[in-house]
Amino acid sequence: MRPLDEIAAPGTEERAALELLDLGALPRHLAIIMDGNGRWAGRATAAGRGHRAAIRAVRETIETIARMDIRW
């Protein structure tokens, strides 16, 4: 595991969340299964917003686990 300062800057929400975790108990590998949720998206225009939100969430998750040296 990399030092916390290399993962998240002090004073950020991400750093505060990391400080609450037992870093020794984190998994060594992580899988992300994309599962669409048509009920959340509703109409076609809402689906586009849903896809953009999902892209942001997945990108943030992958970038974070990469900084933490968790393989995927």
Side-chain angles (χ1 to χ4, degrees), residues 4-54:
L4 285 182
D5 286 339
E6 291 182 18
I7 299 171
T12 63
E13 288 183 28
E14 185 178 30
R15 177 62 175 265
L18 286 170
E19 289 173 350
L20 295 174
L21 294 176
D22 176 1
L23 299 178
L26 293 177
R28 294 173 51 198
H29 293 83
L30 181 73
I32 297 174
I33 300 171
M34 300 297 292
D35 182 21
N37 186 343
R39 289 176 301 193
W40 184 88
R43 301 180 323 257
T45 56
R49 287 193 305 270
H51 290 151
R52 286 188 294 278

Side-chain angles (χ1 to χ4, degrees), residues 1-2 24 54 56 59 69:
M1 175 71 59
R2 295 165 67 181
R56 283 190 302 271
R59 181 176 290 134
D69 288 333

Side-chain angles (χ1 to χ4, degrees), residues 2 7 14 56-69 72:
R2 295 165 67 181
I7 299 171
E14 185 178 30
R56 283 190 302 271
V58 170
R59 181 176 290 134
E60 183 177 323
T61 300
I62 291 172
E63 288 172 355
T64 300
I65 65 171
R67 286 194 308 272
M68 295 174 73
D69 288 333
W72 47 277

